[in-house]
Amino acid sequence: MPKDSFDSDVIVIGAGPGGYVAAIRAAQLGATVTVVEKEYLGGTCLNWGCIPSKALIASTEAYQNVLHADKMGVKIDGKVSIDFDAIVKRKEKVVTTLRGGVGMLFKKNKINHVEGFAKFVDKNTISVEKDGKKTKLRAKNFILAMGSSVIYLPVPGLEGGQKEGVWTSDDAVNPPFVPKKMLILGGGAVGVEFSYVFNGLGADVTLVEMMPTVIPMMDEDLGKELGKQLKKQGVGVKVGASLDKCEKTKNGWKCHVTTGGKTEVIEVDVVLLGVGRKANTDGMALDKIGVKLHRRGVEIVDDSLKTHVGNIYAIGDVTGRIQLAHVASAEGVRVATNIVKGEAKQMDYKAVPNCVYTVPEVASVGLSESEAKSQGYEVVTGRFDFRGLGKAMATGHIDGFVKVVCEKKYGEVLGLHMVGAHVTDMIPEGVAAINLEATIESMIDMIHAHPTMAEAILEAFEDAHGMAIHK
Amino acid sequence: MTEVIMPKMGDGMEEGTLLEWLKNEGDSVKSGEVIGNIQTDKAVMELEAPGKGKLAGILVPVGETVPVGVPIAALLKDGESLPDGWGSGAPAAPAAEPEPAVVAAPVAAAPVAAKSTGRVKASPLAKKVAEKAGIEIAAVAGTGPGGRIVERDVRAAIEQQSTRIPAAPPVAAAAEDIKVPLNHLRGIIAQRTLESKQQVPHFYVTVEVDLERIETLRQAFKEEESGKVSVNDFVVKACAKALVDMPEANATYGGDHVLQFGSVNIGVAAAVDDGLLVPVVKGCENLTIRQISQSVRDLVGKARDGRLLPDEMQGSTFSISNMGMLNVDNFTAIINAPNAAIVAISTAKRVPVVVSDDEIEIRTVMNITGSFDHRVLDGASGAKFINIIRDYLESPTHLLS
């Protein structure tokens, strides 16, 4: 093969929400694109993450709504129960349908889908191995989008896998059963979502988080409120706590949990590790061709997402930076555009929304109050509780609140933080506000539909301005 | 309750800095009593109580700068109290033009620079930052989607203004760079000159003026009891007469029209310790050269002492910049917007001149250069105008009437 002949303009390695989106955009812009995927189209998000967990959460919520239907004046005679197999089957159908959708999009955009594991030969060549057979592929540019995988966080005494009652999030989205008693380690998005699901489906759940609140990556007020709501639902929320060691029992584990200096032993069937992921970079010979790796993944040169090798880019979890599907997709679009159009535009991470799909939901974008203060902003905040809204009362979704964080001098919107029903669907307002450089005054000039939960956003901005109407 | 607002103490004033509160909260004040001092663009002004009552709810601490029209305190009558949320509200709509505290200039009130009235594509934050920095948002180049002006553009414009101070010449590597913060006047000069250079299409015309006759006349004046008259006084008078002869140069660009002023008010640029001020000699068309001379001397003296009233720096219809004492051969001046023209006066010097009969004589000459707003005047008009000035200066007896 002559040295300057290429099979594709762009080869994308990994077909998750970063890779498949990058591939489609590059193809739309006229590039010839090949995607190499070692497993399923859709990656973690679609197969083991966002989507299957949302399907399980939806079933759980449906069950809970029926259980509490009397509150809304609906009387149910007879037994209400769950069909766990049906729940898992439904989830599986959702996943396979969406996975097929990605395949259709590839066909439509004439993207060449190659199954197998990619290993670099030189900076323009990979060798793809599938069932012992190797194929060489050459491209002008590469997008590394291999994503990340769960890792087993080392806990003294805790060994084994699903069969031994040690689950990761991969196991939790394909649960063989609902454990009777369960300990979930880590109160991040994964930990709290599965706490809601398994508690809601009848398990006795203890949630152990090291930091002083659950979801510690978000504004402190959100974590406090969510912790309170989960406790109300029956989850044993332990914050500022650590899982010191585990002892194997006949049917599960004895877990030694220390909270504020006091240690207690909690017996469970299953320990779910809700923390820890690792970039998928092993065995690809990346370092041999000059792509530098750091502790958490592929090192990029700047926010144009180039690696140390000029024709190779990295997006999504594999960079070890922000591990969110929508960030990977946005990075994929940016990189695909940069490659095809010969640009070097940088990503802007000022307004990255972050959502947690518990009941109540949590959503956040921009700076938390403490982040804003530590960055030197003079901060003004506003807050409005959903219980003050007509829509919240009418629908029975009175829990939670909206908090806005703004800069004082100009009124610049710095952050929007919400906990409550439907808040993940309301967060785009905050994204738009921050991206478009809105100020408090411009936000309160916007008419918000009535009755909606989003009125709380208007009221919170009014509050930051010193005059919420319904507070 | 009576609101005390940042008063507009002259046409050009957009904001003021509270230098000093002379009364405390709770003090009773009479209407018109001086309750504080305010630094405007150019001068320190007294803040008078707009009514009587007890001073309360001071919103603006000493040292803070706020736009004109913004409430800065309140006066309460007996039994009154501050309204809830006093001070938390938005500043009073800037559109509500407060009454000028100082009577505007006669006939030729200073025209406001033509502002773009169309929608400016800018983010709310960019607008806010521009407003607080005193930058005209429409003059900022946008780099956001579709040319939208975003915060970084305004920040860059502010940065650009502040870096426009001539940097110290690069010297030995050992010397450290010094960052000199802008004083208020420097900031104003930076903003005004930038705006003029960016928004006014300048063109320049230079002529050489033979000063022999003026020098003779000045000698005659010197010997009189009433004292000296400077070359500059002759220039002001010559310009005044030229502006009467050619009213199209005594004008301003108004977007869809050109406004020719009825009065000739000449701004005379004067160097002061920390910058440059332009006091205005008003009604020059009716002043004799002696009156002009007196008026210029008074105003420049006041400028150097920092005693100029805002109104004495406003309402110019034309300006003169004189570097005669600075030993320069020629220079061009930036138009003092919204004027349509400015004349730059260079140093008089003795040079050989070809006079009539093709003979060479040593004579005193100086260069004068007119800068003109091309939206108001074309090249031929500029040339005509600068030649009228030259004619007057070379036939100075016409200036004595």
Side-chain angles (χ1 to χ4, degrees):
Chain A
M1 189 180 291
K3 199 147 181 18
D4 55 351
S5 81
F6 298 112
D7 304 296
S8 320
D9 297 325
V10 183
I11 290 180
V12 183
I13 305 176
Y20 89 72
V21 168
I24 291 172
R25 176 50 49 89
Q28 286 171 332
L29 292 171
T32 55
V33 181
T34 296
V35 175
V36 181
E37 169 58 54
K38 70 174 160 64
E39 209 161 358
Y40 297 128
L41 295 182
T44 297
C45 165
L46 206 158
N47 297 287
W48 302 277
C50 323
I51 300 304
S53 61
K54 258 77 278 167
L56 294 178
I57 288 165
S59 290
T60 308
E61 194 175 357
Y63 176 51
Q64 288 294 323
N65 284 342
V66 175
L67 285 181
H68 299 111
D70 57 329
K71 278 189 190 162
M72 308 295 281
V74 177
K75 198 176 159 204
I76 304 205
D77 292 324
K79 193 168 169 271
V80 176
S81 60
I82 57 168
D83 177 346
F84 189 65
D85 285 347
I87 288 176
V88 173
K89 270 195 191 123
R90 172 184 175 275
K91 179 228 47 167
E92 206 47 44
K93 178 134 192 287
V94 170
V95 168
T96 47
T97 306
L98 284 170
R99 200 189 288 157
V102 175
M104 291 296 290
L105 288 171
F106 275 13
K107 281 204 188 81
K108 183 185 152 198
N109 287 287
K110 302 191 171 53
I111 292 166
N112 182 26
H113 173 199
V114 175
E115 291 181 17
F117 184 84
K119 183 176 176 179
F120 277 90
V121 176
D122 59 46
K123 72 183 186 62
N124 289 107
T125 315
I126 52 171
S127 161
V128 180
E129 186 178 346
K130 166 87 175 165
D131 304 329
K133 218 181 102 195
K134 288 183 183 174
T135 320
K136 274 195 182 167
L137 292 173
R138 286 175 56 78
K140 265 187 258 181
N141 297 287
F142 288 86
I143 300 175
L144 306 178
M146 295 83 73
S148 63
S149 307
V150 295
I151 50 168
Y152 287 86
L153 201 75
V155 176
L158 190 70
E159 278 170 7
Q162 196 194 69
K163 283 202 191 85
E164 288 76 33
V166 183
W167 292 8
T168 64
S169 61
D170 285 1
D171 303 303
V173 293
N174 287 302
F177 55 88
V178 177
K180 283 204 177 59
K181 295 190 75 178
M182 180 174 203
L183 183 139
I184 299 181
L185 180 61
V190 172
V192 293
E193 287 184 13
F194 286 119
S195 292
Y196 171 73
V197 167
F198 289 107
N199 177 69
L201 294 178
D204 181 357
V205 175
T206 302
L207 175 64
V208 176
E209 167 58 44
M210 204 169 65
M211 302 298 279
T213 62
V214 295
I215 48 170
M217 66 290 188
M218 292 193 180
D219 190 284
E220 193 184 311
D221 289 358
L222 300 185
K224 279 186 194 153
E225 176 70 15
L226 180 63
K228 197 173 93 187
Q229 295 296 335
L230 288 174
K231 265 187 193 161
K232 227 162 76 180
Q233 292 166 22
V235 176
V237 178
K238 297 193 181 298
V239 290
S242 60
L243 176 58
D244 301 330
K245 60 174 179 177
C246 296
E247 292 168 53
K248 186 91 185 84
T249 63
K250 200 175 142 211
N251 293 320
W253 299 92
K254 268 188 184 168
C255 301
H256 295 247
V257 177
T258 304
T259 315
K262 277 190 189 162
T263 304
E264 60 189 313
V265 177
I266 301 168
E267 280 202 58
V268 297
D269 313 318
V270 169
V271 174
L272 167 55
L273 299 173
V275 281
R277 296 190 73 84
K278 176 188 174 302
N280 294 330
T281 55
D282 290 349
M284 294 178 64
L286 286 166
D287 47 343
K288 293 213 177 84
I289 56 156
V291 173
K292 286 193 184 154
L293 302 178
H294 55 66
R295 198 170 53 83
R296 293 164 58 84
V298 174
E299 189 166 291
I300 47 173
V301 178
D302 60 21
D303 287 345
S304 73
L305 303 163
K306 264 194 178 135
T307 66
H308 288 275
V309 178
N311 67 320
I312 302 179
Y313 298 74
I315 59 172
D317 286 10
V318 82
T319 64
R321 306 204 304 171
I322 306 174
Q323 301 196 322
L324 291 169
H326 43 278
V327 171
S329 297
E331 289 176 339
V333 167
R334 176 79 277 140
V335 163
T337 310
N338 278 354
I339 290 174
V340 182
K341 292 192 169 175
E343 296 172 345
K345 286 195 183 151
Q346 310 260 319
M347 280 295 293
D348 180 357
Y349 297 99
K350 187 167 74 165
V352 173
N354 206 332
C355 297
V356 177
Y357 298 84
T358 42
V359 174
E361 292 183 337
V362 186
S364 158
V365 63
L367 301 178
S368 69
E369 186 179 350
S370 61
E371 281 170 339
K373 283 180 178 162
S374 69
Q375 289 187 20
Y377 285 102
E378 205 182 331
V379 170
V380 54
T381 63
R383 180 176 153 137
F384 192 81
D385 291 352
F386 283 115
R387 64 180 64 248
L389 291 183
K391 178 71 176 286
M393 290 297 265
T395 58
H397 291 136
I398 58 170
D399 293 326
F401 59 87
V402 172
K403 174 179 177 178
V404 296
V405 176
C406 304
E407 185 274 342
K408 198 171 177 190
K409 186 172 177 193
Y410 305 110
E412 180 182 6
V413 179
L414 299 175
L416 174 62
H417 311 281
M418 303 184 281
V419 53
H422 305 295
V423 295
T424 62
D425 293 318
M426 284 150 56
I427 201 65
E429 179 167 353
V431 179
I434 292 172
N435 251 328
L436 299 177
E437 297 187 345
T439 58
I440 297 177
E441 281 170 41
S442 61
M443 292 310 291
I444 61 183
D445 276 350
M446 294 185 199
I447 299 170
H448 285 63
H450 175 77
T452 59
M453 296 295 275
E455 285 174 280
I457 297 177
L458 173 65
E459 293 275 9
F461 278 113
E462 297 266 30
D463 185 42
H465 209 234
M467 30 191 160
I469 298 288
H470 296 98
K471 187 170 173 174
Chain B
M1 186 195 74
T2 310
E3 277 188 358
V4 182
I5 58 163
M6 175 58 69
K8 192 171 175 92
M9 298 170 169
D11 285 326
M13 178 171 168
E14 283 168 5
E15 58 177 25
T17 305
L18 207 114
L19 281 186
E20 189 179 11
W21 282 106
L22 298 172
K23 297 285 175 186
N24 296 316
E25 289 192 359
D27 288 356
S28 291
V29 299
K30 281 181 277 194
S31 181
E33 194 172 345
V34 177
I35 57 174
N37 282 322
I38 285 169
Q39 166 92 55
T40 72
D41 290 7
K42 294 156 184 160
V44 176
M45 301 296 294
E46 292 176 336
L47 173 65
E48 294 177 0
K52 69 172 188 176
K54 278 200 170 73
L55 186 64
I58 289 179
L59 299 175
V60 178
V62 166
E64 193 162 299
T65 302
V66 295
V68 161
V70 167
I72 58 179
L75 295 174
L76 300 180
K77 291 205 175 67
D78 286 347
E80 282 184 339
S81 60
L82 289 170
D84 285 348
W86 168 251
S88 62
E97 277 284 307
E99 282 301 308
V102 176
V103 179
V107 197
V112 180
K115 281 200 178 156
S116 46
T117 47
R119 177 174 172 261
V120 178
K121 254 170 74 177
S123 81
L125 179 60
K127 287 178 188 163
K128 258 279 151 62
V129 174
E131 181 193 313
K132 299 226 170 184
I135 288 210
E136 175 66 54
I137 187 104
V140 176
T143 64
R148 186 171 185 255
I149 301 162
V150 292
E151 186 199 5
R152 66 169 176 267
D153 302 325
V154 178
R155 297 267 181 217
I158 295 170
E159 179 76 7
Q160 205 184 6
Q161 279 200 358
S162 61
T163 52
R164 217 155 267 260
I165 313 164
V171 282
E176 276 190 25
D177 299 345
I178 301 169
K179 197 168 182 178
V180 182
L182 290 191
N183 65 31
H184 190 65
L185 187 54
R186 190 82 252 139
I188 297 287
I189 293 168
Q191 185 191 340
R192 297 273 163 84
T193 51
L194 177 71
E195 273 174 17
S196 176
K197 265 290 198 181
Q198 283 184 338
Q199 293 171 9
V200 180
H202 286 58
F203 73 89
Y204 310 96
V205 184
T206 304
V207 294
E208 191 179 75
V209 181
D210 185 333
L211 291 180
E212 281 300 306
R213 288 194 183 171
I214 281 190
E215 287 304 321
T216 314
L217 262 177
R218 285 182 66 216
Q219 280 303 321
F221 272 113
K222 239 186 225 174
E223 285 150 20
E224 274 183 32
E225 268 177 30
S226 44
K228 290 198 287 188
V229 172
S230 68
V231 174
N232 190 66
D233 298 331
F234 279 98
V235 171
V236 176
K237 181 66 186 175
C239 289
K241 291 199 72 116
L243 290 165
V244 171
D245 294 349
M246 250 185 92
E248 55 266 49
N250 191 41
T252 191
Y253 182 71
D256 56 356
H257 62 276
V258 169
L259 179 66
Q260 292 186 0
F261 296 112
S263 187
V264 175
N265 302 340
I266 298 183
V268 182
V272 294
D273 280 348
D274 47 0
L276 173 75
L277 291 175
V278 188
V280 180
V281 184
K282 292 189 177 142
C284 286
E285 73 276 23
N286 299 320
L287 300 181
T288 65
I289 193 159
R290 282 242 176 251
Q291 288 169 322
I292 285 173
S293 178
Q294 186 60 44
S295 187
V296 170
R297 216 172 9 246
D298 285 353
L299 289 168
V300 171
K302 273 178 150 182
R304 295 196 170 136
D305 295 345
R307 290 183 296 114
L308 271 186
L309 299 174
D311 214 42
E312 289 171 328
M313 287 175 277
Q314 284 162 3
S316 72
T317 61
F318 177 86
S319 298
I320 295 173
S321 176
N322 189 342
M323 288 204 206
M325 69 302 285
L326 299 175
N327 193 23
V328 299
D329 293 338
N330 194 25
F331 75 102
T332 59
I334 295 174
I335 291 173
N336 183 21
N339 295 172
I342 187 167
V343 169
I345 312 295
S346 301
T347 308
K349 54 186 176 180
R350 302 282 288 164
V351 294
V353 175
V354 179
V355 291
S356 48
D357 308 333
D358 278 357
E359 293 201 6
I360 291 177
E361 271 184 32
I362 306 290
R363 291 201 173 206
T364 303
V365 301
M366 75 178 180
N367 282 314
I368 65 173
T369 299
S371 309
F372 301 94
D373 182 346
H374 218 313
R375 297 171 302 177
V376 177
L377 295 161
D378 293 328
S381 306
K384 183 177 160 200
F385 180 74
I386 203 82
N387 269 300
I388 294 176
I389 296 175
R390 166 157 66 183
D391 290 347
Y392 276 122
L393 291 173
E394 292 186 347
S395 315
T397 46
H398 294 289
L399 302 177
L400 300 179
S401 54

